[in-house]
Amino acid sequence: MTRAFVFPGQGSQAVGMGQELAQSHAAAREVFEEVDEALGQNLTKLMFEGPIEELTLTENAQPALMAVSMAVVRILEKDGNMDFAKTAKFVAGHSLGEYSALTAAGALTLTDAARLLKARGLAMQQAVPVGVGAMAALLGLNIEPVEEVVAEARDKAKAGEVVSAANDNADGQVVLSGHKGAVEVAIEIAKEKGAKKAMLLSVSAPFHCPLMQPAADEMAERLKEVVIAPPRVPLVANVTASEVSDPDTIRRLLVEQVTGRVRWRESVLYMGEQGVSELMELGAGKILTGMVRRINREMTGSAVGTPADIDAFLAKL
């Protein structure tokens, strides 16, 4: 069985995340301690105890989700003697999960990833004043009809307002992002075009659209300061939905990713075309696992986020 390791994005955070891993494995505690030290913040306490409102802040959720993913990876490697490069053919991550994927594959250090994600979260939050932007989930429409919705909404919205398809997650599951007014226009058009559901999401900023350009500029500067090594296995990038291993290309794509579409559906299809039959979601939650069957019925997905999940996975190797 050929597998890929995939890493969750924002929305998978929950109070208590990583606590069971820390209680049962020193390798997890070491990861959390290193992230806390890198940030000069007791992020671990926030992860374990909340409050959820503070944990959900983009600047906290992003490094926290990466930390839990890396705790799982370190346990698999240190306690399970897993050879990462022999176990996975690719890595991929949903939005911030791309940083987790690159850290797991050795392209970024844990310290650099934590600091980059803290900066990314802050920059994304500050790029657009609260209330100006919005995101919406469209269920029941594939990307092609959504492109038509977006084009029509741009014509009908106020001059200068933007709306675009931010996440192509799975068949019938696309997320829009942009100015609030333009997104609301798009919601109404989507309903007319047969969307089963079209609703605003409770998010703090309009991610993965041109309004995020200030955050992309900030990340371009931050990424200049870090070393990116060739990953142990290729990354399937959000922006291109194809594999990349060249550090300079990875750096460029991480900048483009801030304003660009997360092409998750296409990324999973690409991995399937390359022979991947199993996606293992390493970290908090099971959101990506739930999408697998909707994208490729021949592929299986499993979430590995608890000590029991880890034991079950290692037993299969």
Side-chain angles (χ1 to χ4, degrees):
M1 185 173 282
T2 305
R3 69 176 61 82
F5 288 148
V6 298
F7 298 85
Q10 217 160 315
S12 292
Q13 68 276 359
V15 172
M17 62 194 285
Q19 191 164 9
E20 211 182 337
L21 297 172
Q23 286 166 348
S24 58
H25 293 276
R29 294 193 292 276
E30 287 164 15
V31 168
F32 298 148
E33 284 163 14
E34 190 176 332
V35 169
D36 285 351
E37 193 174 328
L39 299 179
Q41 172 189 4
N42 194 344
L43 185 64
T44 302
K45 185 173 190 290
L46 182 58
M47 287 158 52
F48 292 178
E49 299 174 16
I52 187 64
E53 296 78 16
E54 200 176 331
L55 179 60
T56 300
L57 289 175
T58 308
E59 64 180 275
N60 293 324
Q62 294 199 21
L65 286 160
M66 182 278 298
V68 175
S69 288
M70 281 309 301
V72 172
V73 171
R74 291 276 177 88
I75 293 167
L76 289 170
E77 291 183 312
K78 283 191 171 182
D79 300 349
N81 296 313
M82 182 190 80
D83 185 324
F84 192 95
K86 286 183 179 171
T87 310
K89 183 168 183 174
F90 297 110
V91 290
H94 194 282
S95 190
L96 82 91
E98 197 151 86
Y99 286 79
S100 308
L102 288 165
T103 309
L108 289 170
T109 68
L110 181 61
T111 291
D112 282 343
R115 289 175 178 160
L116 285 168
L117 285 171
K118 184 78 173 177
R120 183 178 182 269
L122 270 171
M124 291 172 91
Q125 187 62 62
Q126 293 168 355
V128 182
V130 173
V132 171
M135 297 183 79
L138 304 184
L139 303 182
L141 292 181
N142 291 348
I143 191 66
E144 293 81 7
V146 170
E147 293 284 22
E148 294 170 18
V149 168
V150 165
E152 204 174 312
R154 284 175 184 156
D155 289 341
K156 290 184 176 177
K158 284 182 190 169
E161 288 200 342
V162 303
V163 59
S164 52
N167 301 0
D168 178 12
N169 283 333
D171 290 327
Q173 190 180 332
V174 181
V175 176
L176 301 182
S177 185
H179 284 102
K180 189 166 189 280
V183 170
E184 286 172 341
V185 170
I187 285 174
E188 293 312 310
I189 296 167
K191 287 175 181 173
E192 290 164 14
K193 290 192 181 289
K196 289 177 186 170
K197 253 188 182 177
M199 58 202 173
L200 286 173
L201 295 174
S202 177
V203 294
S204 53
F207 306 130
H208 299 291
C209 79
L211 294 178
M212 286 287 114
Q213 190 57 50
D217 296 341
E218 171 73 13
M219 292 315 294
E221 292 305 311
R222 298 281 184 158
L223 284 157
K224 279 180 191 170
E225 300 166 5
V226 302
V227 173
I228 298 179
R232 292 182 281 178
V233 299
L235 171 79
V236 177
N238 284 183
V239 173
T240 59
S242 60
E243 63 190 273
V244 58
S245 290
D246 172 63
D248 288 336
T249 307
I250 289 170
R251 195 185 311 271
R252 175 175 60 79
L253 292 176
L254 285 174
V255 175
E256 290 179 16
Q257 186 227 50
V258 179
T259 55
R261 180 182 303 169
V262 176
R263 294 168 61 184
W264 189 254
R265 179 185 60 84
E266 292 172 84
S267 296
V268 173
L269 290 174
Y270 175 83
M271 289 186 274
E273 287 161 7
Q274 307 308 308
V276 171
S277 55
E278 182 180 34
L279 291 190
M280 309 300 300
E281 181 177 6
L282 306 187
K286 300 179 179 181
I287 289 175
L288 301 181
T289 304
M291 291 180 193
V292 173
R293 287 285 185 174
R294 295 182 63 176
I295 301 170
N296 182 343
R297 292 193 173 280
E298 306 301 310
M299 199 179 273
T300 61
S302 304
V304 183
T306 67
D309 294 338
I310 290 168
D311 291 343
F313 176 49
L314 289 171
K316 287 200 308 184
L317 290 183

